[in-house]
Amino acid sequence: MFVDLTAAYAYTVWHSGLTCKLLRLLPDRHMIMEMVGNRSFTLTTGNGQRSRLRRLKNGVPQGSVPAPLLFNIYISDLPTTISKYAYANDLAIMHADGDRQAVEGALSKDMATLGEYLQTWKLKLSTTKTVSAAFHLNKEAERELKVNFNNETLPCCSEPKYLGVTLDRSLTYRQHLESLRKKLTSRVAHLRRLAGSGWGAGATALRTATLSLVHSTAEYCAPVWCRSAHTRLINPAINDALRIVTGCLRPTPVDKLPILAGIQSAELRRSGATLSLGRRAMELGHLLHSALTRPSSAVARRLKSRHPFQLISESDNNNIRAAQWADHQWKAEWADNPSRLRTLIPDRYTPTRPVARI
């Protein structure tokens, strides 16, 4: 179940309830509540008429830095369900069972429990945007789940989106990566407008723009989908961005583009992000700790794309910090590279245009 709350930040956080919960954590809550409660607004119409000043009685400053933290504090005492995940106002409830009716019954019961909590603390559930989804390799999962809430059957979605990642029935992430490819292609087109043979931005500016526009988008939630067979869909767009940075022609071998651009390869950057998350998840109390410490016999039955963390963390047996792992691997690859690029570019970290076309 993917639970959606209506206007979670702006209008539904009950100030009195937030004050009560802050009392459990902070000895002095007055400054925070003054910032949250001392807010007012006016309404201006198209013809210039303005309403009188009104004071906001609910909500937290949407878009501000402390807003997600205050909302997490507000929902920190969510009722116990079979399994729940929460990131700010994005809630998800999961139940696994071989019997479809057992899954529907458990989720319906949890939704009823969650509904009582939301009503008590004046939060509103959007029944049109709250959807259910089934994940399984069997095509039987294509049947819609019937999860009831307040005598209504909540809608079922075959490709829900959670925290910006589109999920499909068998978790191949094909739909998500196809959508990501289109987004990257659009950003590469914007990057191409900055480049030019005589008037465009230099290699350093193009490299910075590529890292901020292309790579940041291409690596969002990479540990989730990087083991998918469809990851190759986004590689051409990344290579096009590297060609813009280096000024290389299309026949240039793609394995040389990261070296010329001074940017680690996409596969290496995704592996480094996965290793970093895997190491954090090995700490007690982390949300993924139980999933990564389960018996190896249970992991062996999963598909390759479903267990990305163990493979990388087990292959890296030294004490290199996760932030330095990708850099260390790149140094090793560069040391073993017999290409004449070693004579053309002494320092691969210095972004520069190639001396000769390859």
Side-chain angles (χ1 to χ4, degrees):
M1 291 301 307
F2 298 93
V3 182
D4 184 84
L5 302 178
T6 302
Y9 286 90
Y11 307 113
T12 57
V13 175
W14 183 27
H15 286 175
S16 299
L18 180 60
T19 303
C20 177
K21 295 184 179 183
L22 284 173
L23 278 171
R24 307 172 187 171
L25 302 176
L26 303 175
D28 186 7
R29 71 197 185 284
H30 298 290
M31 181 180 67
I32 296 179
M33 291 311 302
E34 182 68 19
M35 178 190 69
V36 173
N38 189 19
R39 296 185 300 131
S40 55
F41 71 96
T42 59
L43 176 64
T44 304
T45 62
N47 55 9
Q49 294 182 345
R50 176 176 293 184
S51 67
R52 65 183 180 86
L53 193 68
R54 293 182 179 272
R55 190 182 185 90
L56 288 171
K57 299 180 180 179
N58 296 313
V60 293
Q62 188 172 3
S64 63
V65 174
L69 178 60
L70 292 174
F71 190 82
N72 281 335
I73 294 175
Y74 190 65
I75 64 171
S76 59
D77 57 347
L78 281 170
T80 302
T81 58
I82 295 177
S83 181
K84 66 174 178 291
Y85 303 94
Y87 183 84
N89 62 322
D90 292 305
L91 308 178
I93 301 175
M94 181 184 70
H95 180 67
D97 199 291
D99 186 358
R100 176 178 294 272
Q101 293 182 352
V103 173
E104 294 173 345
L107 292 179
S108 298
K109 182 179 179 181
D110 286 344
M111 287 301 301
T113 303
L114 185 61
E116 294 178 0
Y117 170 86
L118 297 177
Q119 185 177 7
T120 301
W121 294 101
K122 302 185 184 302
L123 294 171
K124 299 179 181 179
L125 180 72
S126 175
T127 56
T128 57
K129 295 182 179 180
T130 299
V131 299
S132 62
F135 303 98
H136 200 279
L137 296 179
N138 194 323
K139 290 186 177 180
E140 185 72 12
E142 294 180 354
R143 289 171 46 191
E144 294 186 357
L145 290 175
K146 297 181 180 179
V147 181
N148 298 322
F149 178 74
N150 287 344
N151 298 323
E152 295 182 7
T153 301
L154 295 174
C156 186
C157 181
S158 59
E159 298 176 3
K161 180 178 288 188
Y162 185 62
L163 296 177
V165 178
T166 303
L167 308 173
D168 55 274
R169 175 180 59 83
S170 54
L171 296 180
T172 63
Y173 301 103
R174 180 182 179 88
Q175 290 81 1
H176 174 73
L177 291 170
E178 286 180 346
S179 175
L180 181 59
R181 176 183 60 81
K182 296 178 182 178
K183 184 182 297 185
L184 292 177
T185 302
S186 175
R187 297 199 171 202
V188 171
H190 290 298
L191 186 67
R192 188 173 288 110
R193 294 186 178 95
L194 300 176
S197 59
W199 55 269
T204 302
L206 291 174
R207 180 179 182 272
T208 302
T210 299
L211 289 172
S212 60
L213 292 177
V214 178
H215 281 78
S216 61
T217 303
E219 295 164 11
Y220 174 71
C221 284
V224 176
W225 48 260
C226 66
R227 302 290 295 181
S228 171
H230 303 289
T231 306
R232 64 182 184 276
L233 293 174
I234 66 173
N235 290 335
I238 298 176
N239 293 333
D240 286 342
L242 296 181
R243 288 189 183 95
I244 294 175
V245 175
T246 60
C248 289
L249 301 177
R250 185 163 291 278
T252 305
V254 294
D255 60 325
K256 304 300 188 297
L257 293 175
I259 301 173
L260 294 169
I263 301 175
Q264 297 165 354
S265 64
E267 292 80 5
L268 205 56
R269 293 171 66 92
R270 290 193 289 259
S271 298
T274 303
L275 175 61
S276 178
L277 177 60
R279 287 186 170 178
R280 293 198 305 270
M282 295 304 294
E283 300 176 359
L284 289 175
H286 196 278
L287 186 65
L288 298 175
H289 180 75
S290 60
L292 297 188
T293 55
R294 67 181 62 180
S296 57
S297 58
V299 177
R301 293 194 298 269
R302 304 175 72 189
L303 294 179
K304 178 182 178 181
S305 61
R306 307 305 194 275
H307 51 89
F309 305 109
Q310 293 90 342
L311 294 179
I312 295 177
S313 58
E314 289 175 0
S315 62
D316 182 58
N317 295 323
N318 51 34
N319 295 323
I320 300 175
R321 288 168 43 190
Q324 300 174 345
W325 179 85
D327 185 64
H328 181 269
Q329 291 294 111
W330 204 21
K331 286 182 180 180
E333 293 178 5
W334 179 256
D336 297 336
N337 191 348
S339 172
R340 63 190 179 93
L341 288 178
R342 296 196 59 174
T343 60
L344 294 176
I345 306 177
D347 184 3
R348 71 191 183 289
Y349 294 107
T350 302
T352 180
R353 294 186 181 276
V355 176
R357 300 294 184 185
I358 303 175

